[in-house]
Amino acid sequence: MSRLLLPLEHPTPAAGHDTAESLLHALQQLPRRVQQVFLLNRLDQLDFAAIAARLDLPLASIERHMDQALQAGRSRRDGLASAAGRWYVRLQSPEVTACERIDFRRWLDAAPANLQAFHDTELRWRSLLAPARQLGHDGWYRQGRAALSLGGCSVALGLGVAALLLLGFCA
C-alpha cells in the first residue's frame, strides 16, 4: 500500500488532519496484533499475502487489521471516511476481484464527496509513515507469532508443571 491508487494533482487537505503525535497515540491504542500487521505492511512493505503467511493468519484478518489501523483515531460516525478506508484496504488485497474493482469505480464516480474521501484516505495513509516509524523503531513487530503469545505459553507451561507436581504428590 505504498503507492497511491489515484493521482493527486491538487491535493486539498481535509479539515482536521491529525498531527503525528495524535496519530501515534491512536496507533498505540490498537491491539498488538493490529500494530504488527500494520507495521509489517507500512515499514517493511510486505504485501497482505506475505504477512498472512508469516503470521499464519487468513487474508481476511490481515484486511481487517489494516482497516483498523487506517481508521485509528477517526470518528466512527464518519461513514464516508470508513467506506473510503475499506475500499483502500480491499483494493490492496490479492483476493480483490474484477467485479469489486468495477464496484469501486462506480462508488468513486457516484459523488464528488466519495472521490474526496478516497483522496483524504490516501493522504492519511501517507501521514501514518512517521508515527509508524516511531511505533516500530526497535523492530519488535518483526518477531513471529510466538513472540506475541509468549505470556500465554509460559502460563500454560506453569499450569502443566503444577498439575504434574500435584499428580506426583497424590500418587
Side-chain angles (χ1 to χ4, degrees), residues 113-168:
N114 293 355
L115 179 62
Q116 184 61 48
F118 196 77
H119 278 293
D120 291 345
T121 298
E122 290 187 314
L123 291 173
R124 180 176 184 83
W125 179 251
R126 285 181 168 188
S127 71
L128 288 173
L129 182 57
R133 285 183 178 146
Q134 286 182 284
L135 184 62
H137 73 283
D138 58 358
W140 66 266
Y141 63 93
R142 290 186 180 111
Q143 302 301 318
R145 186 176 185 104
L148 292 178
S149 61
L150 188 58
C153 289
S154 60
V155 169
L157 181 63
L159 289 173
V161 168
L164 286 175
L165 289 175
L166 185 61
L167 289 174

Side-chain angles (χ1 to χ4, degrees), residues 2-59:
S2 59
R3 66 180 173 79
L4 292 177
L5 297 173
L6 297 175
L8 289 175
E9 295 156 3
H10 303 289
T12 55
H17 267 299
D18 298 315
T19 64
E21 295 82 29
S22 65
L23 289 172
L24 176 61
H25 179 72
L27 290 172
Q28 288 171 331
Q29 302 307 309
L30 294 171
R32 200 80 162 154
R33 175 65 71 198
V34 174
Q35 292 177 26
Q36 184 183 31
V37 168
F38 167 70
L39 293 173
L40 285 169
N41 179 264
R42 191 67 178 113
L43 297 182
D44 292 0
Q45 297 184 357
L46 296 179
D47 63 17
F48 290 7
I51 296 170
R54 183 174 185 161
L55 299 178
D56 193 28
L57 292 172
L59 274 170

Side-chain angles (χ1 to χ4, degrees), residues 88-108:
Y88 192 77
V89 169
R90 183 62 185 160
L91 291 171
Q92 307 305 316
S93 174
E95 293 183 336
V96 68
T97 65
C99 290
E100 287 173 311
R101 290 185 186 279
I102 291 169
D103 288 343
F104 165 69
R105 194 68 228 185
R106 287 181 182 148
W107 175 83
L108 205 59

